Amino acid sequence: MLERNLHMLGGTGESSYAANSTLQKRYAAGAMFLVKEAMESLVHVMIPTSETLLVFADLGCSTGANAFVTHSSIMGTISITCKKLDRPMPEIQLLLNDLPGNDFNTLLGPALSSYKERISESMREIGVSFYTAAVSGSFYTKLFPKRSVHFIYSCASLHWLSQVPFGLSNATDGTVINRRSLWISNKSPPIVSRLYLEQFQRDFSLFLKHRCEELHSEGRMTLIIPGRVGANALTEESAPWISWYEDGLQDLVSEGIVKAADVNSFNVPFYYPSMAEVKSIIHTEGSFEIINDHAYEILYSNCLDVIPADTDKIWEKIINISRAVLEPLLVSHFGDSIIQPLFSSTLPKMYAKESFKEKYKLASQANLAISLKKK
C-alpha cells in the first residue's frame, strides 16, 4: 500500500514536485564536491586506454529537472578527468529509479526534454553515447543485476522508510501511541523515536546490502540524506514543517472537516537520522568503507529561485514545497476533500501570523552527505 501511495506530486503544475524541488536542488549542490571526488576516483580505476561503459543509478530520482542537472555536472567531471588522464570518454548509461507511483511520464517526457537533450548534445560533441532508462521499484529491494552498476547516487530519498514503524499504527491493544503528532515531536513518548530509529536501521541495512551486490567491485556510492545535527530526535525540531501540518490538521478537526481519530492514526513514514546513526549502520552492515562525509544546513528561506517581496508569498512557496512531498500521502489517508481547505484556508491563516514568521524565519534543514566505496 505505501509503495503505491508514496510518491511526489506529479505533473508540472504550480503545486507539483517538478515546480517545487529547489530545496532538494540545494541539497545536491551542497555535496556536489563529494560526487565529483567519487567520479574522479572511478575514472582512475575503471577507464582503461580503450573505451568502456559506465553505468550510473539515481535512486529516488522523483520527477523534475534535478536528476538531469546533477548528472550534467557528473558528465562534466568525467570529461575533465578523462582529458587530464588522456583516456577516452566512456559510454554512459543513466538509470533513473523511483517507486511505481512516480510520474515517470513527466520525468522522461517532453516537459523535461530540454535537460536530457542538453546532456545528450554535450555527449555527442565529444563523440560519446548517452542512454537513459527508468527503473521502477523500491530501493529496499534488489533493482539491478549483480556487479552491473559503477556509481550509485541518492539525494533526499533515504529518509523515507519502507513503512510506518510497526507499533505506531498497529498497537496490539488498540491504543494510538503517537496521539496528536504526525511524526517524532516533543509531545511523543520516547518509544516513538525508538520505533522510528529501529525501522530506519532495518531499511538502511537492507539498502546497503542490495547496493553492495549490484555495484561493480570498484563501485562508488554518494548519499545525501536529510537528517539532524543533535543526538536526540525527540528534542530537535529537524523537520519544522511537520508541526505546520499538525496544527493545520487540528484546526480541521475543530471545524469538523476531518476526524480526530484519522489524524491520530496518521504518521509520516520517514526518519531524519544523525550522522552518528548513519555511520553506525554502515559499520555494522559491513559492505562499505566510508571515504568522506559532510554535514551542512540549508535555510528554508534560501531555497527559492526568486524571493517574493511579499513575506506571505515566501511562506506560500515554502508550503508548496512541502505540499509537493506530502499531498499524495494526505490524499491516501484523508481523501481528496482535505486538500482545498488545508492549503487554501487553514495553512495560509497560519503563516500570515507574525508569530509564525518570527518563529520560522531561521528554520533550516540539516543534510548528511556520505561517500562510500565497496569493500
Side-chain angles (χ1 to χ4, degrees), residues 63-332:
T63 187
N66 286 353
F68 298 110
V69 171
T70 297
H71 288 283
S72 179
S73 179
I74 289 174
M75 304 305 174
T77 300
I78 294 173
S79 177
I80 291 170
T81 308
C82 284
K83 288 179 181 177
K84 189 184 300 182
L85 298 175
D86 194 24
R87 296 183 183 179
M89 273 290 291
E91 291 188 299
I92 304 293
Q93 183 172 39
L94 172 59
L95 304 175
L96 297 169
N97 156 261
D98 214 307
L99 291 170
N102 185 55
D103 187 0
F104 287 105
N105 288 332
T106 294
L107 177 66
L108 299 174
L112 297 176
S113 61
S114 62
Y115 294 97
K116 292 184 293 180
E117 282 304 312
R118 199 177 306 164
I119 297 176
S120 297
E121 182 60 33
S122 64
M123 292 295 100
R124 283 194 292 269
E125 287 175 359
I126 55 178
V128 175
S129 299
F130 171 69
Y131 309 94
T132 306
V135 180
S136 173
S138 168
F139 51 46
Y140 295 125
T141 63
K142 293 180 181 179
L143 292 170
F144 314 112
K146 291 182 178 179
R147 297 178 295 280
S148 64
V149 183
H150 302 98
F151 177 65
I152 290 174
Y153 168 83
S154 183
C155 178
S157 297
L158 274 163
H159 61 302
W160 289 104
L161 303 173
S162 65
Q163 64 176 56
V164 172
F166 183 79
L168 295 178
S169 57
N170 297 283
T172 54
D173 62 358
T175 60
V176 176
I177 294 176
N178 203 26
R179 290 177 60 86
R180 301 179 67 84
S181 291
L182 308 185
W183 189 51
I184 304 167
S185 74
N186 54 17
K187 297 177 289 187
S188 304
I191 190 175
V192 171
S193 178
R194 179 171 62 81
L195 290 173
Y196 268 97
L197 172 58
E198 289 173 353
Q199 187 64 50
F200 178 76
Q201 289 170 329
R202 288 190 292 269
D203 285 343
F204 191 42
S205 296
L206 267 180
F207 175 89
L208 295 170
K209 174 180 179 292
H210 293 313
R211 302 300 79 81
C212 179
E213 294 174 354
E214 295 162 353
L215 273 172
H216 185 275
S217 58
E218 298 289 344
R220 302 290 198 277
M221 186 159 65
T222 300
L223 310 176
I224 304 168
I225 309 172
R228 67 179 196 275
V229 176
N232 192 340
L234 283 172
T235 58
E236 182 179 346
E237 196 171 23
S238 51
W241 57 275
I242 288 291
S243 65
W244 310 342
Y245 286 88
E246 289 175 347
D247 293 343
L249 288 173
Q250 290 302 326
D251 284 350
L252 294 183
V253 169
S254 65
E255 295 170 19
I257 296 174
V258 298
K259 297 177 181 177
D262 289 340
V263 174
N264 289 336
S265 63
F266 181 61
N267 290 281
V268 181
F270 63 55
Y271 181 73
Y272 284 5
S274 67
M275 184 67 86
E277 289 168 348
V278 170
K279 287 184 174 181
S280 175
I281 297 168
I282 292 169
H283 288 308
T284 300
E285 196 279 332
S287 298
F288 290 91
E289 173 188 355
I290 298 174
I291 302 300
N292 202 352
D293 64 82
H294 175 54
Y296 55 104
E297 293 189 70
I298 304 290
L299 284 173
Y300 286 114
S301 57
N302 286 345
C303 68
L304 309 182
D305 286 328
V306 178
I307 306 297
D310 183 348
T311 306
D312 287 352
K313 292 295 182 182
I314 295 175
W315 290 106
E316 181 180 347
K317 182 65 176 176
I318 292 173
I319 291 289
N320 261 347
I321 291 172
S322 63
R323 176 179 181 175
V325 171
L326 205 57
E327 180 171 323
L329 287 176
L330 290 167
V331 169
S332 70

Side-chain angles (χ1 to χ4, degrees), residues 8-13 15-22 62-66 106 112 324:
M8 305 299 99
L9 197 58
T12 56
S15 301
S16 68
Y17 184 83
N20 293 283
S21 52
T22 308
S62 190
T63 187
N66 286 353
T106 294
L112 297 176

Side-chain angles (χ1 to χ4, degrees), residues 349-369:
K349 288 177 185 176
M350 188 168 62
Y351 62 68
K353 297 177 181 178
E354 288 302 320
S355 58
F356 178 91
K357 298 171 190 175
E358 184 64 27
K359 181 178 180 180
Y360 292 111
K361 66 181 180 181
L362 295 178
S364 63
Q365 175 59 60
N367 290 276
L368 314 176

